Amino acid sequence: MPARLGLRRRPGPLVLPCPAAGGIEVVAPPLKPLAQAPGIGQVGSVKNTQNIAIIGAGLAGLTAAAYLRAGYEGEIVIFDKGRRPGGRLAARRHQGVLFNHGAQFATARNPRFLAWLQARVADGRAALWPETSINHDRYVGLPDMNALADAPISAVETGRHVSFAEQQGGQWYLYVNDAKLVAPGHVGPTGSRIGPFDRLILALPAPQAAAFLAGIGHYFAEPASIVTMAPCWTVMLGFPPGTAGPDILLPAHSPLSWVAREACRPGNRDASVGYTVQASPAWSRAHLEDDAQAVQDMLAREFIALSGVAADPDFTATHRWRYAQSEISLGVPCLWDEERNLGVCGDWCMGNRLESAFCSGVGMAEAILAHTSMSVRG
Ligand SMILES: Cc1cc2nc3c(=O)[nH]c(=O)nc-3n(C[C@H](O)[C@H](O)[C@H](O)COP(=O)(O)OP(=O)(O)OC[C@H]3O[C@@H](n4cnc5c(N)ncnc54)[C@H](O)[C@@H]3O)c2cc1C
């Protein structure tokens, strides 16, 4: 669990202590427990027809969209720079072998997230992972973790890097680029100008949200920039069918922090043997800018030494998560600027897990719907 920023509750806006500014005003929605929050159908009786743009189709952005759709007749457009929705809910096939190279499993303390997971278990889109459910039940998507993203590719404008936003006449316009043609962290008014949108939601990892918000000159850049996120180098190793080895390793005092044999995941029917190997946050940070091949070689050697797997891998692939999990969280579900109609959500608002992303997305939707019902009534 990441540390939380010390928030002082006041009747009005929350105050985030910021060393540089000596405390900045952040308008955040009320901190009511999600389980007690009204259902979407209960919020406001009049449907809203305003358009919303969401940047980021990870679990936070997709959840915000799903909960907003119940209260909106307007269009909700989601942009993501990735090839498919899901963000860190990631899976890929290498030479026919499935690897879950992002989030490994979901745990749930929040009753709403638990109900959401259990509904997916009931209809076959998720399952319990008994081998790893020691202190808490752990859930996985079926056939892979990306299945928890729950969004058909057609629901998201994929491959679209949004680099800038500006407001004109109270409405938002986005600058949208082909993700293949811009540098990953690019911020600036390039590409096609798309709009208008009445509301804008950023559902990005904290450092990316901070850079975007700084680029458009919004004061939410300050709280977002306080949140640091640990990287994670991940290596995927494929072995011939029948290769013997452990199911799960949680190494201590090692460059590795997690090793999973993909075939021990519920629903995996691959004949070949795949291992997903994740480096610790400290090791990943120390080697963040190293050559990917060198990282791959080091982590593969470490895996062989720890696991005792005798065979050489048939193939190896590497993924660098620059922003894997937050080390500090804001302690609020999301940020919402009622005047500018701008919201920010993501796992880092509440924690560093899938549950945090889900709860942040729900909180974002509720903040907007609460405001909507007020403005519709008013
Ligand atoms: C290696 C790893 C292991 C993990 N293990 C676990 C685990 O076992 N259990 C657990 O609960 N959690 C785990 N997590 C954390 C979990 O994955 C996250 O908490 C959760 O997925 C975050 O969701 P999100 O929607 O907030 O962000 P993301 O999933 O990061 O979504 C943000 C989206 O924004 C998009 N984006 C960014 N910038 C732009 C832009 N300019 N324009 C358009 N799109 C943009 C990205 O492509 C991405 O799809 C793990 C994470 C990693 C990386």
Side-chain angles (χ1 to χ4, degrees):
M1 189 72 176
R4 288 182 167 205
L5 293 173
L7 295 175
R8 274 190 290 128
R9 285 298 274 135
R10 282 184 176 177
L14 293 172
V15 176
L16 296 187
C18 170
I24 50 171
E25 297 281 309
V26 174
V27 180
L31 289 170
K32 62 191 165 191
L34 286 171
Q36 291 163 25
I40 292 298
Q42 296 165 264
V43 181
S45 53
V46 184
K47 288 252 182 180
N48 191 294
T49 54
Q50 297 190 322
N51 295 336
I52 299 183
I54 300 178
I55 310 175
L59 188 58
L62 293 173
T63 303
Y67 278 75
L68 279 167
R69 280 204 175 97
Y72 262 76
E73 280 173 356
E75 214 184 337
I76 298 173
V77 186
I78 314 176
F79 298 91
D80 199 288
K81 65 180 184 174
R83 275 179 295 174
R84 56 202 279 201
R88 283 171 273 165
L89 271 173
R92 59 161 86 151
R93 279 197 176 273
H94 281 291
Q95 302 191 12
V97 185
L98 181 64
F99 292 94
N100 292 273
H101 62 292
Q104 295 299 298
F105 51 79
T107 49
R109 293 179 187 85
N110 177 279
R112 227 157 162 180
F113 187 53
L114 183 61
W116 184 87
L117 284 170
Q118 286 174 340
R120 273 140 195 85
V121 172
D123 67 15
R125 284 179 288 163
L128 268 173
W129 192 2
E131 285 81 355
T132 64
S133 299
I134 300 153
N135 299 322
H136 279 288
D137 283 347
R138 293 177 170 183
Y139 295 84
V140 296
L142 291 180
D144 56 47
M145 288 301 284
N146 186 253
L148 292 180
D150 249 7
I153 201 156
S154 57
V156 178
E157 296 287 331
T158 52
R160 300 278 175 254
H161 177 112
V162 184
S163 60
F164 197 70
E166 63 192 7
Q167 246 178 337
Q168 204 181 352
Q171 296 203 292
W172 285 103
Y173 293 82
L174 305 184
Y175 286 79
V176 181
N177 306 261
D178 182 337
K180 290 197 286 293
L181 303 180
V182 291
H186 170 63
V187 176
T190 60
S192 310
R193 190 171 182 266
I194 294 182
F197 297 99
D198 302 289
R199 295 187 165 93
L200 173 60
I201 298 174
L202 304 187
L204 312 173
Q208 290 169 330
F212 191 96
L213 290 159
I216 66 171
H218 195 279
Y219 65 99
F220 282 164
E222 290 197 48
S225 67
I226 296 168
V227 176
T228 55
M229 295 187 71
C232 178
W233 273 109
T234 299
V235 172
M236 293 150 267
L237 300 161
F239 293 93
T243 302
D247 282 347
I248 303 287
L249 292 175
L250 293 166
H253 315 297
S254 161
L256 308 185
S257 61
W258 170 263
V259 172
R261 185 181 174 93
E262 290 288 340
C264 85
R265 286 178 166 274
N268 185 304
R269 293 187 185 82
D270 284 344
S272 294
V273 174
Y275 274 97
T276 297
V277 174
Q278 292 180 331
S280 69
W283 193 94
S284 298
R285 179 163 279 133
H287 295 270
L288 188 59
E289 304 302 339
D290 285 7
D291 172 59
Q293 185 62 52
V295 166
Q296 185 171 296
D297 293 346
M298 282 189 272
L299 295 181
R301 268 200 308 275
E302 197 65 31
F303 164 77
I304 296 290
L306 278 173
S307 66
V309 168
D312 285 330
D314 286 340
F315 63 89
T316 317
T318 309
H319 186 92
R320 177 179 61 183
W321 294 100
R322 191 174 280 280
Y323 308 118
Q325 289 190 278
S326 51
E327 296 164 308
I328 190 168
S329 77
L330 289 186
V332 294
C334 59
L335 304 172
W336 174 240
D337 178 346
E338 221 165 88
E339 269 172 36
R340 304 271 314 265
N341 279 316
L342 173 72
V344 181
C345 63
D347 58 346
W348 53 276
C349 289
M350 300 196 75
N352 62 3
R353 296 180 297 117
L354 290 164
E355 180 175 37
S356 335
F358 174 88
C359 292
S360 180
V362 174
M364 186 79 264
E366 288 184 339
I368 291 180
L369 290 171
H371 171 67
T372 299
S373 61
M374 274 161 51
S375 59
V376 169
R377 283 191 198 116

